[in-house]
Amino acid sequence: QSALTQPPSASGSPGQSVTISCTGTSSDVGGHNYVSWYQQHPGKAPKLLIYEVTKRPSGVPDRFSGSKSGNTASLTVSGLQAEDEADYYCNSYAGNLIWVFGGGTKLTVL
Amino acid sequence: QVQLVQSGSELKKPGASVKVSCKASGYTFNTYGMNWVRQAPGQGLEWLGWINTDSGNPTYAQGFTGRFVFSLDTSVSTAYLEISSLQTEDTAVYYCAREPKTFDYWGQGTQVTVSA
């Protein structure tokens, strides 16, 4: 099972919006609606931001939103804030009780 | 509240074994799967597999069969990851994560360092 493809880096200025992509195949991202996004600050455990493509857990600001088209899922962060600077990972169910992660994207707030 | 508390850092020599624990609280242990994820230094997240906490049946990711073993002690709501024949490439932070079709709660991570 190959890792999902994410851009290694992304950046934006405070207040701007940035979108991070996550490309898989019809066996994972394209074939299931179990795509999630996680935020990880240095030295910390990942934190769930988005699940089932578009849903936000309680407590996650609505500045974070998710979407999917075909084999590519996307995370959009609107109204960028300094504390959004972190690594972001997508993951997807790939069938047959298998999960796969993306390689991660380092988001820099300029 | 849901918590996953992992065991402390480990320093092991190549060829040794290590057993990492993940104690769950705040929910009914056998109603959610438990996943294991590792993160090598400076690298991304890598899914190792999961264990069905109701049946005890494990599923391993490709490349993690044989030396990696998942187990449970349901009497104390704890999942375990045991790695045998440790190699320097196994140096990483190992996380457990609860899974109801997403990884909603994570342990704090256990640093495993393999060095001669």
Side-chain angles (χ1 to χ4, degrees):
Chain A
Q1 187 66 41
S2 300
L4 306 176
T5 300
Q6 296 183 233
S9 63
S11 62
S13 299
Q16 288 187 331
S17 293
V18 67
T19 297
I20 299 169
S21 62
C22 169
T23 301
T25 68
S26 58
S27 296
D28 38 62
V29 174
H32 306 278
N33 283 325
Y34 295 118
V35 177
S36 301
W37 290 90
Y38 307 86
Q39 177 190 62
Q40 186 181 35
H41 287 107
K44 300 294 187 182
K47 171 191 171 185
L48 178 63
L49 285 180
I50 299 288
Y51 66 101
E52 292 179 16
V53 181
T54 61
K55 299 177 181 178
R56 274 189 315 276
S58 173
V60 173
D62 59 6
R63 301 186 296 104
F64 294 92
S65 62
S67 63
K68 188 181 84 167
S69 177
N71 296 337
T72 298
S74 299
L75 172 72
T76 297
V77 186
S78 306
L80 269 175
Q81 299 181 4
E83 59 262 34
D84 298 334
E85 185 159 297
D87 294 326
Y88 292 82
Y89 295 91
C90 61
N91 90 330
S92 173
Y93 184 62
N96 297 317
L97 308 179
I98 300 295
W99 291 84
V100 62
F101 278 96
T105 298
K106 182 177 181 59
L107 175 60
T108 301
V109 180
L110 302 170
Chain B
Q1 73 283 20
V2 173
Q3 279 194 302
L4 300 178
V5 179
Q6 299 184 224
S7 48
S9 298
E10 301 271 8
L11 174 60
K12 295 291 184 181
K13 293 191 183 302
S17 296
V18 69
K19 194 169 187 177
V20 176
S21 67
C22 170
K23 183 171 176 59
S25 61
Y27 71 99
T28 303
F29 183 66
N30 66 350
T31 57
Y32 295 90
M34 191 67 76
N35 287 251
W36 291 95
V37 177
R38 80 175 180 182
Q39 188 169 35
Q43 301 300 307
L45 303 174
E46 186 172 27
W47 183 72
L48 304 183
W50 74 290
I51 186 165
N52 183 316
T53 53
D54 190 35
S55 67
N57 186 48
T59 299
Y60 299 97
Q62 200 169 9
F64 294 100
T65 55
R67 293 193 303 116
F68 294 76
V69 177
F70 309 144
S71 61
L72 303 170
D73 184 343
T74 55
S75 69
V76 289
S77 300
T78 300
Y80 300 94
L81 163 65
E82 185 165 18
I83 312 170
S84 58
S85 303
L86 281 164
Q87 305 165 2
T88 54
E89 308 88 85
D90 295 323
T91 293
V93 176
Y94 289 81
Y95 294 101
C96 59
R98 191 182 81 159
E99 182 255 303
K101 293 305 184 188
T102 186
F103 297 2
D104 62 350
Y105 286 91
W106 294 65
Q108 82 277 20
T110 295
Q111 173 70 53
V112 174
T113 302
V114 184
S115 174

PDB file of all heavy atoms in Angstrom, chain A residues 39-67:
ATOM      1  N   GLN A  39      -3.321  17.526  12.612  1.00  0.00           N
ATOM      2  CA  GLN A  39      -2.349  18.599  12.818  1.00  0.00           C
ATOM      3  C   GLN A  39      -1.344  18.119  13.856  1.00  0.00           C
ATOM      4  O   GLN A  39      -1.735  17.557  14.883  1.00  0.00           O
ATOM      5  CB  GLN A  39      -3.072  19.849  13.331  1.00  0.00           C
ATOM      6  CG  GLN A  39      -2.173  21.021  13.653  1.00  0.00           C
ATOM      7  CD  GLN A  39      -2.950  22.116  14.388  1.00  0.00           C
ATOM      8  OE1 GLN A  39      -3.464  21.906  15.476  1.00  0.00           O
ATOM      9  NE2 GLN A  39      -3.053  23.285  13.773  1.00  0.00           N
ATOM     10  N   GLN A  40      -0.067  18.348  13.592  1.00  0.00           N
ATOM     11  CA  GLN A  40       0.951  17.948  14.552  1.00  0.00           C
ATOM     12  C   GLN A  40       1.949  19.073  14.769  1.00  0.00           C
ATOM     13  O   GLN A  40       2.634  19.494  13.834  1.00  0.00           O
ATOM     14  CB  GLN A  40       1.696  16.694  14.093  1.00  0.00           C
ATOM     15  CG  GLN A  40       2.656  16.162  15.146  1.00  0.00           C
ATOM     16  CD  GLN A  40       3.426  14.933  14.698  1.00  0.00           C
ATOM     17  OE1 GLN A  40       3.781  14.805  13.525  1.00  0.00           O
ATOM     18  NE2 GLN A  40       3.678  14.013  15.624  1.00  0.00           N
ATOM     19  N   HIS A  41       2.009  19.566  15.984  1.00  0.00           N
ATOM     20  CA  HIS A  41       3.032  20.535  16.361  1.00  0.00           C
ATOM     21  C   HIS A  41       4.275  19.782  16.820  1.00  0.00           C
ATOM     22  O   HIS A  41       4.186  18.633  17.270  1.00  0.00           O
ATOM     23  CB  HIS A  41       2.512  21.466  17.466  1.00  0.00           C
ATOM     24  CG  HIS A  41       1.520  22.462  16.979  1.00  0.00           C
ATOM     25  ND1 HIS A  41       0.168  22.385  17.253  1.00  0.00           N
ATOM     26  CD2 HIS A  41       1.680  23.580  16.226  1.00  0.00           C
ATOM     27  CE1 HIS A  41      -0.457  23.395  16.702  1.00  0.00           C
ATOM     28  NE2 HIS A  41       0.436  24.147  16.061  1.00  0.00           N
ATOM     29  N   PRO A  42       5.442  20.419  16.719  1.00  0.00           N
ATOM     30  CA  PRO A  42       6.703  19.737  17.070  1.00  0.00           C
ATOM     31  C   PRO A  42       6.676  19.139  18.470  1.00  0.00           C
ATOM     32  O   PRO A  42       6.280  19.799  19.440  1.00  0.00           O
ATOM     33  CB  PRO A  42       7.738  20.857  16.967  1.00  0.00           C
ATOM     34  CG  PRO A  42       7.163  21.802  15.970  1.00  0.00           C
ATOM     35  CD  PRO A  42       5.682  21.775  16.206  1.00  0.00           C
ATOM     36  N   GLY A  43       7.065  17.879  18.548  1.00  0.00           N
ATOM     37  CA  GLY A  43       7.140  17.197  19.832  1.00  0.00           C
ATOM     38  C   GLY A  43       5.811  16.778  20.418  1.00  0.00           C
ATOM     39  O   GLY A  43       5.764  16.294  21.563  1.00  0.00           O
ATOM     40  N   LYS A  44       4.738  16.957  19.668  1.00  0.00           N
ATOM     41  CA  LYS A  44       3.398  16.620  20.180  1.00  0.00           C
ATOM     42  C   LYS A  44       2.784  15.490  19.360  1.00  0.00           C
ATOM     43  O   LYS A  44       3.206  15.206  18.240  1.00  0.00           O
ATOM     44  CB  LYS A  44       2.475  17.842  20.092  1.00  0.00           C
ATOM     45  CG  LYS A  44       2.959  19.036  20.900  1.00  0.00           C
ATOM     46  CD  LYS A  44       2.927  18.749  22.385  1.00  0.00           C
ATOM     47  CE  LYS A  44       3.247  19.997  23.184  1.00  0.00           C
ATOM     48  NZ  LYS A  44       3.265  19.722  24.643  1.00  0.00           N
ATOM     49  N   ALA A  45       1.772  14.863  19.949  1.00  0.00           N
ATOM     50  CA  ALA A  45       1.016  13.849  19.234  1.00  0.00           C
ATOM     51  C   ALA A  45       0.113  14.518  18.194  1.00  0.00           C
ATOM     52  O   ALA A  45      -0.304  15.672  18.376  1.00  0.00           O
ATOM     53  CB  ALA A  45       0.174  13.024  20.200  1.00  0.00           C
ATOM     54  N   PRO A  46      -0.196  13.822  17.117  1.00  0.00           N
ATOM     55  CA  PRO A  46      -1.146  14.377  16.141  1.00  0.00           C
ATOM     56  C   PRO A  46      -2.503  14.629  16.781  1.00  0.00           C
ATOM     57  O   PRO A  46      -2.896  13.955  17.730  1.00  0.00           O
ATOM     58  CB  PRO A  46      -1.235  13.267  15.088  1.00  0.00           C
ATOM     59  CG  PRO A  46       0.044  12.506  15.224  1.00  0.00           C
ATOM     60  CD  PRO A  46       0.349  12.532  16.678  1.00  0.00           C
ATOM     61  N   LYS A  47      -3.210  15.615  16.226  1.00  0.00           N
ATOM     62  CA  LYS A  47      -4.542  15.981  16.702  1.00  0.00           C
ATOM     63  C   LYS A  47      -5.506  15.905  15.525  1.00  0.00           C
ATOM     64  O   LYS A  47      -5.217  16.418  14.440  1.00  0.00           O
ATOM     65  CB  LYS A  47      -4.528  17.403  17.260  1.00  0.00           C
ATOM     66  CG  LYS A  47      -5.897  17.977  17.586  1.00  0.00           C
ATOM     67  CD  LYS A  47      -5.816  19.461  17.883  1.00  0.00           C
ATOM     68  CE  LYS A  47      -7.193  20.101  17.997  1.00  0.00           C
ATOM     69  NZ  LYS A  47      -7.132  21.568  18.177  1.00  0.00           N
ATOM     70  N   LEU A  48      -6.646  15.263  15.730  1.00  0.00           N
ATOM     71  CA  LEU A  48      -7.648  15.131  14.675  1.00  0.00           C
ATOM     72  C   LEU A  48      -8.287  16.481  14.366  1.00  0.00           C
ATOM     73  O   LEU A  48      -8.794  17.147  15.258  1.00  0.00           O
ATOM     74  CB  LEU A  48      -8.715  14.127  15.102  1.00  0.00           C
ATOM     75  CG  LEU A  48      -9.872  13.908  14.129  1.00  0.00           C
ATOM     76  CD1 LEU A  48      -9.386  13.316  12.810  1.00  0.00           C
ATOM     77  CD2 LEU A  48     -10.929  13.003  14.770  1.00  0.00           C
ATOM     78  N   LEU A  49      -8.284  16.846  13.074  1.00  0.00           N
ATOM     79  CA  LEU A  49      -8.899  18.096  12.621  1.00  0.00           C
ATOM     80  C   LEU A  49     -10.186  17.855  11.829  1.00  0.00           C
ATOM     81  O   LEU A  49     -11.158  18.593  11.984  1.00  0.00           O
ATOM     82  CB  LEU A  49      -7.939  18.856  11.696  1.00  0.00           C
ATOM     83  CG  LEU A  49      -6.746  19.578  12.262  1.00  0.00           C
ATOM     84  CD1 LEU A  49      -5.984  20.240  11.118  1.00  0.00           C
ATOM     85  CD2 LEU A  49      -7.165  20.601  13.299  1.00  0.00           C
ATOM     86  N   ILE A  50     -10.156  16.900  10.931  1.00  0.00           N
ATOM     87  CA  ILE A  50     -11.263  16.608  10.024  1.00  0.00           C
ATOM     88  C   ILE A  50     -11.395  15.100   9.914  1.00  0.00           C
ATOM     89  O   ILE A  50     -10.389  14.384   9.816  1.00  0.00           O
ATOM     90  CB  ILE A  50     -10.994  17.174   8.613  1.00  0.00           C
ATOM     91  CG1 ILE A  50     -10.847  18.700   8.633  1.00  0.00           C
ATOM     92  CG2 ILE A  50     -12.090  16.741   7.626  1.00  0.00           C
ATOM     93  CD1 ILE A  50     -12.140  19.462   8.875  1.00  0.00           C
ATOM     94  N   TYR A  51     -12.628  14.594   9.924  1.00  0.00           N
ATOM     95  CA  TYR A  51     -12.860  13.174   9.689  1.00  0.00           C
ATOM     96  C   TYR A  51     -14.010  12.996   8.705  1.00  0.00           C
ATOM     97  O   TYR A  51     -14.806  13.915   8.493  1.00  0.00           O
ATOM     98  CB  TYR A  51     -13.122  12.429  10.996  1.00  0.00           C
ATOM     99  CG  TYR A  51     -14.405  12.810  11.715  1.00  0.00           C
ATOM    100  CD1 TYR A  51     -15.533  12.003  11.627  1.00  0.00           C
ATOM    101  CD2 TYR A  51     -14.487  13.974  12.474  1.00  0.00           C
ATOM    102  CE1 TYR A  51     -16.711  12.346  12.277  1.00  0.00           C
ATOM    103  CE2 TYR A  51     -15.659  14.321  13.124  1.00  0.00           C
ATOM    104  CZ  TYR A  51     -16.762  13.501  13.033  1.00  0.00           C
ATOM    105  OH  TYR A  51     -17.936  13.847  13.670  1.00  0.00           O
ATOM    106  N   GLU A  52     -14.080  11.833   8.103  1.00  0.00           N
ATOM    107  CA  GLU A  52     -15.093  11.539   7.085  1.00  0.00           C
ATOM    108  C   GLU A  52     -15.186  12.679   6.061  1.00  0.00           C
ATOM    109  O   GLU A  52     -16.277  13.167   5.747  1.00  0.00           O
ATOM    110  CB  GLU A  52     -16.436  11.252   7.744  1.00  0.00           C
ATOM    111  CG  GLU A  52     -16.399   9.938   8.537  1.00  0.00           C
ATOM    112  CD  GLU A  52     -17.711   9.608   9.228  1.00  0.00           C
ATOM    113  OE1 GLU A  52     -18.746  10.197   8.892  1.00  0.00           O
ATOM    114  OE2 GLU A  52     -17.676   8.739  10.132  1.00  0.00           O
ATOM    115  N   VAL A  53     -14.038  13.091   5.582  1.00  0.00           N
ATOM    116  CA  VAL A  53     -13.829  14.082   4.505  1.00  0.00           C
ATOM    117  C   VAL A  53     -14.112  15.521   4.937  1.00  0.00           C
ATOM    118  O   VAL A  53     -13.298  16.411   4.681  1.00  0.00           O
ATOM    119  CB  VAL A  53     -14.673  13.745   3.245  1.00  0.00           C
ATOM    120  CG1 VAL A  53     -14.416  14.792   2.142  1.00  0.00           C
ATOM    121  CG2 VAL A  53     -14.344  12.360   2.723  1.00  0.00           C
ATOM    122  N   THR A  54     -15.278  15.741   5.566  1.00  0.00           N
ATOM    123  CA  THR A  54     -15.713  17.127   5.814  1.00  0.00           C
ATOM    124  C   THR A  54     -16.072  17.451   7.253  1.00  0.00           C
ATOM    125  O   THR A  54     -16.316  18.616   7.568  1.00  0.00           O
ATOM    126  CB  THR A  54     -16.953  17.448   4.959  1.00  0.00           C
ATOM    127  OG1 THR A  54     -18.010  16.552   5.347  1.00  0.00           O
ATOM    128  CG2 THR A  54     -16.683  17.285   3.467  1.00  0.00           C
ATOM    129  N   LYS A  55     -16.116  16.470   8.129  1.00  0.00           N
ATOM    130  CA  LYS A  55     -16.634  16.697   9.480  1.00  0.00           C
ATOM    131  C   LYS A  55     -15.541  17.172  10.432  1.00  0.00           C
ATOM    132  O   LYS A  55     -14.402  16.702  10.375  1.00  0.00           O
ATOM    133  CB  LYS A  55     -17.279  15.410  10.017  1.00  0.00           C
ATOM    134  CG  LYS A  55     -18.450  14.934   9.172  1.00  0.00           C
ATOM    135  CD  LYS A  55     -19.011  13.629   9.688  1.00  0.00           C
ATOM    136  CE  LYS A  55     -20.171  13.160   8.817  1.00  0.00           C
ATOM    137  NZ  LYS A  55     -20.723  11.858   9.271  1.00  0.00           N
ATOM    138  N   ARG A  56     -15.921  18.096  11.325  1.00  0.00           N
ATOM    139  CA  ARG A  56     -14.994  18.626  12.326  1.00  0.00           C
ATOM    140  C   ARG A  56     -15.378  18.135  13.701  1.00  0.00           C
ATOM    141  O   ARG A  56     -16.535  18.251  14.105  1.00  0.00           O
ATOM    142  CB  ARG A  56     -15.029  20.171  12.355  1.00  0.00           C
ATOM    143  CG  ARG A  56     -14.152  20.885  11.403  1.00  0.00           C
ATOM    144  CD  ARG A  56     -14.148  22.381  11.707  1.00  0.00           C
ATOM    145  NE  ARG A  56     -15.490  22.893  11.952  1.00  0.00           N
ATOM    146  CZ  ARG A  56     -16.329  23.263  11.004  1.00  0.00           C
ATOM    147  NH1 ARG A  56     -15.948  23.165   9.729  1.00  0.00           N
ATOM    148  NH2 ARG A  56     -17.529  23.727  11.301  1.00  0.00           N
ATOM    149  N   PRO A  57     -14.408  17.604  14.451  1.00  0.00           N
ATOM    150  CA  PRO A  57     -14.706  17.228  15.845  1.00  0.00           C
ATOM    151  C   PRO A  57     -15.032  18.485  16.652  1.00  0.00           C
ATOM    152  O   PRO A  57     -14.628  19.599  16.291  1.00  0.00           O
ATOM    153  CB  PRO A  57     -13.406  16.601  16.344  1.00  0.00           C
ATOM    154  CG  PRO A  57     -12.622  16.282  15.119  1.00  0.00           C
ATOM    155  CD  PRO A  57     -13.045  17.276  14.086  1.00  0.00           C
ATOM    156  N   SER A  58     -15.735  18.279  17.744  1.00  0.00           N
ATOM    157  CA  SER A  58     -16.019  19.375  18.642  1.00  0.00           C
ATOM    158  C   SER A  58     -14.729  20.055  19.094  1.00  0.00           C
ATOM    159  O   SER A  58     -13.744  19.379  19.427  1.00  0.00           O
ATOM    160  CB  SER A  58     -16.768  18.831  19.867  1.00  0.00           C
ATOM    161  OG  SER A  58     -16.928  19.807  20.841  1.00  0.00           O
ATOM    162  N   GLY A  59     -14.724  21.382  19.041  1.00  0.00           N
ATOM    163  CA  GLY A  59     -13.554  22.126  19.491  1.00  0.00           C
ATOM    164  C   GLY A  59     -12.603  22.543  18.392  1.00  0.00           C
ATOM    165  O   GLY A  59     -11.724  23.399  18.624  1.00  0.00           O
ATOM    166  N   VAL A  60     -12.746  21.982  17.212  1.00  0.00           N
ATOM    167  CA  VAL A  60     -11.893  22.394  16.082  1.00  0.00           C
ATOM    168  C   VAL A  60     -12.537  23.605  15.414  1.00  0.00           C
ATOM    169  O   VAL A  60     -13.711  23.553  15.029  1.00  0.00           O
ATOM    170  CB  VAL A  60     -11.710  21.246  15.075  1.00  0.00           C
ATOM    171  CG1 VAL A  60     -10.975  21.732  13.830  1.00  0.00           C
ATOM    172  CG2 VAL A  60     -10.965  20.088  15.716  1.00  0.00           C
ATOM    173  N   PRO A  61     -11.788  24.693  15.261  1.00  0.00           N
ATOM    174  CA  PRO A  61     -12.367  25.909  14.666  1.00  0.00           C
ATOM    175  C   PRO A  61     -12.873  25.670  13.255  1.00  0.00           C
ATOM    176  O   PRO A  61     -12.316  24.853  12.506  1.00  0.00           O
ATOM    177  CB  PRO A  61     -11.183  26.884  14.654  1.00  0.00           C
ATOM    178  CG  PRO A  61     -10.223  26.362  15.652  1.00  0.00           C
ATOM    179  CD  PRO A  61     -10.375  24.876  15.660  1.00  0.00           C
ATOM    180  N   ASP A  62     -13.928  26.421  12.880  1.00  0.00           N
ATOM    181  CA  ASP A  62     -14.479  26.234  11.541  1.00  0.00           C
ATOM    182  C   ASP A  62     -13.595  26.861  10.465  1.00  0.00           C
ATOM    183  O   ASP A  62     -13.954  26.855   9.279  1.00  0.00           O
ATOM    184  CB  ASP A  62     -15.914  26.774  11.469  1.00  0.00           C
ATOM    185  CG  ASP A  62     -16.012  28.250  11.804  1.00  0.00           C
ATOM    186  OD1 ASP A  62     -14.960  28.899  11.986  1.00  0.00           O
ATOM    187  OD2 ASP A  62     -17.150  28.756  11.901  1.00  0.00           O
ATOM    188  N   ARG A  63     -12.440  27.392  10.854  1.00  0.00           N
ATOM    189  CA  ARG A  63     -11.453  27.847   9.863  1.00  0.00           C
ATOM    190  C   ARG A  63     -10.860  26.655   9.099  1.00  0.00           C
ATOM    191  O   ARG A  63     -10.288  26.825   8.024  1.00  0.00           O
ATOM    192  CB  ARG A  63     -10.310  28.597  10.559  1.00  0.00           C
ATOM    193  CG  ARG A  63     -10.748  29.805  11.358  1.00  0.00           C
ATOM    194  CD  ARG A  63      -9.576  30.582  11.904  1.00  0.00           C
ATOM    195  NE  ARG A  63      -8.765  29.853  12.859  1.00  0.00           N
ATOM    196  CZ  ARG A  63      -7.574  29.322  12.568  1.00  0.00           C
ATOM    197  NH1 ARG A  63      -7.065  29.420  11.345  1.00  0.00           N
ATOM    198  NH2 ARG A  63      -6.879  28.694  13.513  1.00  0.00           N
ATOM    199  N   PHE A  64     -11.012  25.475   9.680  1.00  0.00           N
ATOM    200  CA  PHE A  64     -10.496  24.261   9.049  1.00  0.00           C
ATOM    201  C   PHE A  64     -11.664  23.552   8.344  1.00  0.00           C
ATOM    202  O   PHE A  64     -12.698  23.290   8.956  1.00  0.00           O
ATOM    203  CB  PHE A  64      -9.880  23.321  10.091  1.00  0.00           C
ATOM    204  CG  PHE A  64      -8.649  23.877  10.748  1.00  0.00           C
ATOM    205  CD1 PHE A  64      -8.753  24.607  11.929  1.00  0.00           C
ATOM    206  CD2 PHE A  64      -7.397  23.686  10.191  1.00  0.00           C
ATOM    207  CE1 PHE A  64      -7.625  25.133  12.537  1.00  0.00           C
ATOM    208  CE2 PHE A  64      -6.261  24.207  10.796  1.00  0.00           C
ATOM    209  CZ  PHE A  64      -6.380  24.930  11.972  1.00  0.00           C
ATOM    210  N   SER A  65     -11.474  23.257   7.062  1.00  0.00           N
ATOM    211  CA  SER A  65     -12.523  22.567   6.319  1.00  0.00           C
ATOM    212  C   SER A  65     -11.896  21.548   5.373  1.00  0.00           C
ATOM    213  O   SER A  65     -10.737  21.701   4.943  1.00  0.00           O
ATOM    214  CB  SER A  65     -13.380  23.557   5.537  1.00  0.00           C
ATOM    215  OG  SER A  65     -12.604  24.249   4.585  1.00  0.00           O
ATOM    216  N   GLY A  66     -12.663  20.514   5.064  1.00  0.00           N
ATOM    217  CA  GLY A  66     -12.181  19.459   4.193  1.00  0.00           C
ATOM    218  C   GLY A  66     -13.124  19.225   3.032  1.00  0.00           C
ATOM    219  O   GLY A  66     -14.312  19.531   3.106  1.00  0.00           O
ATOM    220  N   SER A  67     -12.553  18.679   1.954  1.00  0.00           N
ATOM    221  CA  SER A  67     -13.348  18.352   0.780  1.00  0.00           C
ATOM    222  C   SER A  67     -12.666  17.215   0.032  1.00  0.00           C
ATOM    223  O   SER A  67     -11.545  16.812   0.365  1.00  0.00           O
ATOM    224  CB  SER A  67     -13.507  19.571  -0.134  1.00  0.00           C
ATOM    225  OG  SER A  67     -12.233  19.988  -0.619  1.00  0.00           O
TER     226      SER A  67
END
